[in-house]
């Protein structure tokens, strides 16, 4: 006879792992299922590193959620004795015509976030390896930095299992029921699992599991990432010489992370790529992207213009129409929850998402309207950056 759970969480990425963690801490019987394993190489949470920053332009909600999440990631690092967070600092390059960074600074001040405002001269003095003639000033978040994404999610799952969560490798089929409640989920291997509640935290797979509901509301897009090999014996591109760099005023929205653990200098463009299938999509980067990257490097990071590409990755964003998360009850099935829509910025918020889902379900906490299914449109108009 199969075990009965209070909650089955489907998806062991950043959102599902932290949700299972908090539900278990609240005393619930929890199983966590994943088709490919926690933070696997297809998952959006499966990259080596993710940026954690407090700045979100004028958007105080996500600034608050980042500020809530960072100490929890740090606590996890202490508890598991791993370096899961690197305090590299996050540098926002700006120019005089850019309202986003000005508003971001106002929000950081209001929230009491440690920050510095750097003049163009100061940017050049502190970071001589960079060349940003277009930046007239910058905002620096010295306390922010880089999370070791894959390792961190796996650490959350390991800790949850130690505390009594059952982790099960299983691929769940799209759920079906003709009543207002779902009794069980079925897997591709022919088994089934029962629970009082089901939480689908399946990131870019959510539209496959709920095609009628989400095919038009969550769009996975192909995102390419490059790791460059700096010159031997040079530390210009490692912390503390190099912070995370966000050049959002540039049309390609480039961002870069310092060389951490000798993996290489990571750089990518934060604009949405073409639509992408997370199971079968090709994860080989395009030649065109490499020439675009070289052009950017030539202008702004000349020391890396000819640097070898030591590794590439293709990941996917799981975008809602405007970039707000989807965290809501299924509109027809009262014991089913949908958690996802990280939209290229969700990773850092994993702890806050887990806390929020747990409080919503167990304590009937107030719902944030921006996370509702009803607020999700079908036309793509990104508004959260
Ligand atoms: C290139 C790139 C850079 C990014 N940079 C940042 C950043 O710097 N900072 C930041 O905060 N965020 C960043 N993000 C966004 C962030 O990584 C995602 O928003 C976040 O990881 C989403 O987590 P998730 O748990 O919702 O989804 P996922 O991590 O994709 O997890 C979903 C899980 O569900 C499982 N699953 C799916 N279907 C099934 C099924 N049928 N049965 C069982 N299991 C199933 C999958 O195997 C997977 O493990 C970036 C994303 C990408 C792609």
């Amino acid at each position: 006879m199969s075990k009965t759970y209070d909650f089955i969480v489907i998806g062991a990425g950043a959102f599902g792992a932290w949700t299972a963690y908090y539900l278990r801490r609240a005393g619930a019987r929890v199983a966590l299922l994943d088709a490919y394993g926690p933070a696997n190489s297809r998952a959006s949470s499966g990259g080596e590193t993710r940026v954690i920053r407090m700045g979100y332009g004028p958007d105080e909600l996500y600034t608050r959620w980042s500020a809530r999440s960072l100490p929890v990631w740090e606590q996890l690092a202490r508890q598991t004795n791993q370096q899961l967070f690197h305090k590299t600092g996050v540098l926002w390059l700006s120019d005089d015509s850019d309202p986003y960074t000005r508003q971001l600074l106002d929000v950081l001040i209001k929230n009491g976030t440690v920050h510095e405002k750097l003049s163009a001269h100061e940017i050049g003095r502190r970071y001589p390896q960079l060349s940003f003639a277009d930046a007239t000033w910058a905002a620096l978040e010295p306390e922010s930095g880089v999370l070791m994404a894959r390792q961190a999610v796996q650490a959350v799952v390991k800790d949850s299992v130690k505390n009594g969560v059952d982790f099960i490798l299983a691929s769940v089929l799209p759920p079906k029921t003709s009543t207002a409640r779902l009794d069980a989920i079925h897997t591709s291997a022919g088994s089934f699992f029962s629970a009082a509640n089901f939480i689908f935290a399946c990131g870019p797979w959510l539209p496959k599991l709920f095609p009628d509901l989400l095919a038009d509301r969550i769009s996975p897009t192909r995102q390419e990432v490059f790791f460059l090999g700096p010159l031997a014996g040079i530390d210009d591109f490692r912390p503390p010489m190099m912070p995370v760099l966000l050049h959002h005023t540039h049309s390609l929205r480039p961002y870069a992370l310092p060389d951490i653990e000798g993996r290489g200098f990571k750089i990518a463009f934060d604009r949405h790529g073409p639509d992408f299938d997370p199971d079968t999509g090709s994860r080989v980067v395009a030649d065109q992207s490499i020439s675009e990257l070289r052009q950017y490097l030539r202008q702004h990071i000349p020391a890396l213009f000819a640097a070898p590409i030591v590794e590439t990755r293709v990941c996917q964003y799981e975008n809602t129409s405007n970039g707000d998360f989807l965290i809501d009850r299924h509109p027809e099935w009262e014991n089913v929850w949908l958690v996802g829509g990280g939209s290229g910025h969700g990773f850092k918020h994993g702890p806050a998402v887990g806390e929020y889902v747990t409080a919503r379900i167990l304590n009937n906490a107030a719902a944030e309207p921006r996370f509702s299914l009803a607020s999700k449109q079908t036309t793509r108009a990104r508004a959260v950056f």
Side-chain angles (χ1 to χ4, degrees), residues 10-16 33-40 42-46 49-52 56 170-173 201-205 209 223-225 255 257 266 268 315-318 339-349:
I10 303 106
F15 284 9
L33 271 61
D34 199 288
Y36 299 110
N40 62 78
R42 287 179 172 96
S44 297
S45 307
T49 47
R50 292 289 182 259
V51 179
I52 181 158
Y56 263 89
S171 177
V172 174
L173 300 174
C202 299
W205 285 266
L209 284 152
Q223 306 299 142
E224 298 177 329
V225 178
Y255 65 95
L257 284 68
K266 175 175 166 179
C315 189
Q316 65 282 312
Y317 289 172
E318 56 295 317
V339 177
S343 305
H345 70 101
F347 188 89
K348 67 182 82 58
H349 301 290

Side-chain angles (χ1 to χ4, degrees), residues 68-266:
R68 172 69 202 116
S69 294
L70 179 54
V72 185
W73 288 113
E74 289 182 298
Q75 167 63 25
L76 175 74
R78 279 192 297 276
Q79 200 177 309
T80 59
N81 203 20
Q82 299 178 71
Q83 187 164 10
L84 301 174
F85 171 62
H86 293 258
K87 199 197 285 184
T88 62
V90 171
L91 184 70
W92 294 90
L93 294 161
S94 188
D95 61 42
D96 295 330
S97 67
D98 164 35
Y100 181 94
T101 326
R102 271 204 315 276
Q103 292 163 334
L104 173 152
L105 212 53
D106 291 343
V107 174
L108 295 187
I109 292 166
K110 189 172 164 200
N111 279 272
T113 307
V114 179
H115 64 276
E116 288 181 57
K117 191 173 174 190
L118 307 185
S119 64
H121 172 75
E122 190 59 14
I123 301 169
R125 194 188 69 76
R126 289 198 199 184
Y127 310 109
Q129 70 278 47
L130 308 177
S131 171
F132 286 97
D134 54 332
T136 51
W137 68 281
L140 177 69
E141 298 179 20
E143 308 277 308
S144 300
V146 175
L147 294 164
M148 301 308 289
R150 180 176 51 82
Q151 275 183 56
V153 170
Q154 290 175 355
V156 181
V157 174
K158 201 167 166 195
D159 195 69
S160 301
V161 168
K162 205 168 83 190
N163 287 325
V165 168
D166 285 344
F167 175 78
I168 301 165
L169 188 77
S171 177
V172 174
L173 300 174
K176 288 194 175 67
T177 175
S178 50
T179 69
R181 289 183 67 79
L182 185 67
D183 293 324
I185 45 171
H186 296 260
T187 73
S188 57
S191 51
F192 71 93
F193 297 92
S194 307
N197 300 280
F198 298 88
I199 298 169
F200 286 85
C202 299
W205 285 266
L206 277 172
K208 289 192 179 198
L209 284 152
F210 298 93
D212 296 344
L213 207 55
L214 299 180
D216 295 337
R217 289 190 164 77
I218 293 187
S219 334
T221 54
R222 183 176 197 282
Q223 306 299 142
E224 298 177 329
V225 178
F226 300 87
F227 290 80
L228 303 170
L231 275 179
I234 301 290
D235 63 359
D236 287 359
F237 295 99
R238 292 173 178 240
M241 310 292 278
M242 181 73 206
V244 168
L245 192 75
L246 302 172
H247 193 193
H248 68 286
T249 47
H250 190 282
S251 58
L252 298 175
R253 301 187 54 82
Y255 65 95
L257 284 68
D259 181 3
I260 287 172
E261 297 185 355
R263 194 97 194 178
F265 177 86
K266 175 175 166 179

